Amino acid sequence: KAGVTQTPRYLIKTRGQQVTLSCSPISGHRSVSWYQQTPGQGLQFLFEYFSETQRNKGNFPGRFSGRQFSNSRSEMNVSTLELGDSALYLCASSLRTGENTEAFFGQGTRLTVV
Amino acid sequence: AQTVTQSQPEMSVQEAETVTLSCTYDTSESNYYLFWYKQPPSRQMILVIRQEAYKQQNATENRFSVNFQKAAKSFSLKISDSQLGDTAMYFCAFMKRGPNAGKSTFGDGTTLTVKP
């Protein structure tokens, strides 16, 4: 069974630009969560989508947005990039049914803003 | 809001020995999960072990076990017979249980180095 796939793996953008990151969950998983990982702030929760609906949201500015499609694939968008947005962005998928809460992570997208 | 604290930024252990990683958390929730994740240098995070707060018995997974002290809000990870492949960053995480659960709160991580 294929794991969680994040594309692209690496990205370099200029301040002020916008970027879209993609996450394809494990087949059958309906929940997709996004996290930002930086050396200074650690792992910070961005948002979670379940069946195309945003169910949870972290404390990030409105420049960070996401969506989920009917096939459970999710995209995350960051507009008006700032230098501080440089980070590893991790996506995790899970079944989220009953007690089945295990999250499977992708390898991440390394975003560098210059 | 929940907080998770890992007080040991770095630890090292000799191969085949035992090491314990500490984690404390703060929450007003009574129903939740606790996790330990491992992130090797290749970056992909994987689940090591999970504990349901309502279960008194400590979870074990092969060489990995936890010491869950609910009253003290402590959740430590013990790795027995450490192997070189255990070298990684380890994250303790909290997740509320319930229909809108799905947000995990992570600690800052502990970098574990297993020495030959």
Side-chain angles (χ1 to χ4, degrees):
Chain A
K1 187 153 112 167
V4 178
T5 304
Q6 291 188 246
T7 56
R9 292 284 306 277
Y10 302 92
L11 208 48
I12 300 176
K13 288 287 188 179
T14 304
R15 252 183 322 177
Q17 286 186 315
Q18 77 164 13
V19 67
T20 299
L21 312 183
S22 179
C23 173
S24 293
I26 291 171
S27 177
H29 286 193
R30 294 162 67 191
S31 168
V32 174
S33 298
W34 288 89
Y35 294 86
Q36 181 195 65
Q37 186 176 19
T38 59
Q41 298 294 317
L43 271 153
Q44 303 285 318
F45 174 78
L46 281 153
F47 27 66
E48 183 212 7
Y49 285 87
F50 184 85
S51 293
E52 302 178 65
T53 302
Q54 188 181 86
R55 294 184 64 160
N56 285 283
K57 190 176 190 306
N59 297 322
F60 278 81
R63 300 186 297 107
F64 291 81
S65 63
R67 57 179 176 167
Q68 187 179 34
F69 302 95
S70 58
N71 62 358
S72 293
R73 188 178 73 86
S74 178
E75 287 182 346
M76 190 192 93
N77 185 274
V78 188
S79 62
T80 321
L81 284 165
E82 300 177 0
L83 295 179
D85 297 333
S86 294
L88 179 67
Y89 289 89
L90 292 170
C91 158
S93 80
S94 66
L95 277 170
R96 289 275 279 113
T97 56
E99 293 295 326
N100 204 323
T101 57
E102 181 175 351
F104 294 83
F105 283 82
Q107 289 199 283
T109 295
R110 170 73 64 186
L111 171 65
T112 302
V113 182
V114 298
Chain B
Q2 285 71 234
T3 59
V4 177
T5 302
Q6 293 178 248
S7 58
Q8 305 150 315
E10 295 182 2
M11 291 192 73
S12 64
V13 63
Q14 291 296 133
E15 198 176 4
E17 293 188 345
T18 295
V19 64
T20 299
L21 308 184
S22 300
C23 172
T24 58
Y25 60 95
D26 190 25
T27 184
S28 57
E29 302 287 339
S30 58
N31 214 354
Y32 50 87
Y33 300 100
L34 293 164
F35 306 91
W36 278 99
Y37 286 92
K38 169 185 176 181
Q39 188 178 39
S42 66
R43 296 191 323 207
Q44 191 149 20
M45 188 104 68
I46 56 173
L47 179 67
V48 174
I49 199 164
R50 180 183 91 163
Q51 175 80 42
E52 289 88 345
Y54 65 86
K55 289 186 179 178
Q56 291 188 336
Q57 188 172 9
N58 289 324
T60 63
E61 284 288 343
N62 302 314
R63 298 181 296 108
F64 299 88
S65 62
V66 298
N67 183 2
F68 173 48
Q69 302 288 328
K70 191 172 183 179
K73 294 181 180 164
S74 169
F75 182 62
S76 61
L77 174 70
K78 185 171 86 170
I79 306 174
S80 304
D81 186 25
S82 296
Q83 300 175 359
L84 296 178
D86 295 334
T87 292
M89 181 167 274
Y90 287 80
F91 292 94
C92 176
F94 170 103
M95 187 171 80
K96 189 173 67 172
R97 189 167 174 235
N100 284 329
K103 167 186 174 179
S104 288
T105 301
F106 286 81
D108 288 339
T110 296
T111 300
L112 176 67
T113 302
V114 180
K115 298 179 178 178

